[in-house]
Amino acid sequence: MSESRVTLSIEGNIATVTLNRPDKYNGLDLETLEALVSTARAIRKNRDVRVVILRGAGKAFCAGLDFGTVTKTPMKMLLAFTKFGVRKTNLFQKACWAWRELPVPVIAELHGYCYGGGLQLALAADFRVATPDCELSVMEIKWGLIPDMTGTVTLRELVPLDVAKELAMTGRRFDATEAKQLNLVTRVAEDPRAESLALARALLERSPDAVSATKALFQRTWNQSEDQAFHEESRLQFKLLRGKNQAEAMAANFKKRAPDFRNRQRDY
């Protein structure tokens, strides 16, 4: 695995993860997929991290799967496509889903191109901030394929069925302004870096346990029955009420001072 494919820097509780193949518009090869998984794993172990910003070096966020490189090693590609044991994801899926499974919010910072697997990676984040001229596409159909890097789940969370079908069946390209209208990006900004950092700092003002539990709550209950959703609300709230960060949030509000939160106390 080439760690240089993905870089990680941590500053002030914010982890910045950068796709680092600018000469290939950050196209995803097998080494990049492995590096994404290992980087997410390292972040999960680091309770200092409270927000993640996922971005791409150079002129693009990610132009999708690097078919020219991946198809040169068919056995490795086959292994990456295989699910082992009881795992629900293969390597292609895990490289995206690992960010959804992190117990902290993830902000994808989009510019240039966001195609195919790159779009599925962005959709696995909790928020997406894009430049107005960023070009997006569910591009797998161009290669005679379907979106199979968790896009079937993330697309259905955000758009109606007919829109998902149209985007996936045509592979047409569209800019971030239309993506915002389609609900595929959270915000459009001329300076997505500044906008992403502003959102990250706003999240840092809140209890890391409450932010983590909120992510878990909505991901687990969005398509559940009312009974299941209400049960999960109560279960998570009970955990928060027993934590030091919730007590600190209460104290800070009553005393009208800025809270001094500890690192996240547990995974939710």
Side-chain angles (χ1 to χ4, degrees):
M1 181 181 67
S2 174
E3 293 295 343
S4 64
R5 290 287 200 272
V6 175
T7 64
L8 170 63
S9 63
I10 300 172
E11 184 176 354
N13 302 113
I14 300 173
T16 299
V17 178
T18 306
L19 297 172
N20 194 36
R21 295 185 76 204
D23 56 320
K24 298 291 186 180
Y25 296 102
N26 298 313
L28 302 169
D29 59 3
L30 295 179
E31 288 78 11
T32 302
L33 298 177
E34 291 170 352
L36 281 166
V37 173
S38 65
T39 302
R41 186 181 301 121
I43 291 172
R44 175 179 283 277
K45 294 177 181 177
N46 188 342
R47 290 186 181 271
D48 288 337
V49 174
R50 292 169 54 186
V51 184
V52 175
I53 296 176
L54 184 59
R55 59 196 300 268
K59 296 181 179 181
F61 173 70
C62 178
L65 196 65
D66 182 354
F67 284 96
T69 299
V70 170
T71 54
K72 289 179 180 178
T73 54
M75 285 306 298
K76 287 185 178 180
M77 184 174 70
L78 179 61
L79 287 172
F81 192 73
T82 303
K83 295 182 177 75
F84 295 96
V86 296
R87 294 179 183 176
K88 69 179 181 181
T89 54
N90 60 31
L91 177 61
F92 293 97
Q93 295 162 336
K94 186 68 173 179
C96 296
W97 203 244
W99 306 95
R100 178 59 61 86
E101 292 180 322
L102 281 183
V104 296
V106 179
I107 305 166
E109 185 181 303
L110 312 181
H111 72 290
Y113 307 124
C114 185
Y115 295 158
L119 178 56
Q120 291 178 83
L121 175 61
L123 294 179
D126 300 288
F127 312 101
R128 285 154 296 285
V129 181
T131 58
D133 60 352
C134 179
E135 194 170 83
L136 302 89
S137 172
V138 185
M139 192 169 276
E140 284 77 10
I141 196 72
K142 175 182 176 181
W143 303 93
L145 299 171
I146 60 172
D148 69 335
M149 293 175 63
T150 72
T152 49
V153 172
T154 53
L155 275 170
R156 77 184 183 200
E157 293 175 344
L158 300 171
V159 301
L161 179 59
D162 61 334
V163 174
K165 287 179 179 178
E166 186 257 331
L167 295 177
M169 288 178 184
T170 66
R172 69 176 179 86
R173 304 175 188 185
F174 50 95
D175 64 18
T177 301
E178 182 177 355
K180 179 66 172 68
Q181 295 169 348
L182 293 173
N183 206 39
L184 290 173
V185 300
T186 312
R187 298 180 185 175
V188 177
E190 292 290 346
D191 186 348
R193 184 62 176 167
E195 191 77 10
S196 297
L197 286 171
L199 176 55
R201 291 178 184 128
L203 292 167
L204 291 180
E205 294 176 0
R206 305 306 179 189
S207 161
D209 286 291
V211 170
S212 180
T214 300
K215 175 172 178 172
L217 172 67
F218 286 114
Q219 288 305 145
R220 293 171 190 167
T221 63
W222 204 250
N223 293 306
Q224 284 185 334
S225 69
E226 293 175 356
D227 288 348
Q228 290 171 314
F230 296 159
H231 172 77
E232 188 67 5
E233 283 182 4
S234 299
R235 189 184 73 82
L236 290 173
Q237 195 77 297
F238 181 68
K239 281 188 174 183
L240 288 171
L241 287 166
R242 297 165 61 194
K244 291 182 171 60
N245 279 326
Q246 194 277 327
E248 172 59 16
M250 293 284 287
N253 274 291
F254 280 127
K255 296 178 181 179
K256 301 187 185 307
R257 59 168 174 79
D260 182 18
F261 293 119
R262 305 185 181 197
N263 288 346
R264 190 178 75 256
Q265 299 295 292
R266 65 181 76 191
D267 289 343
Y268 293 87

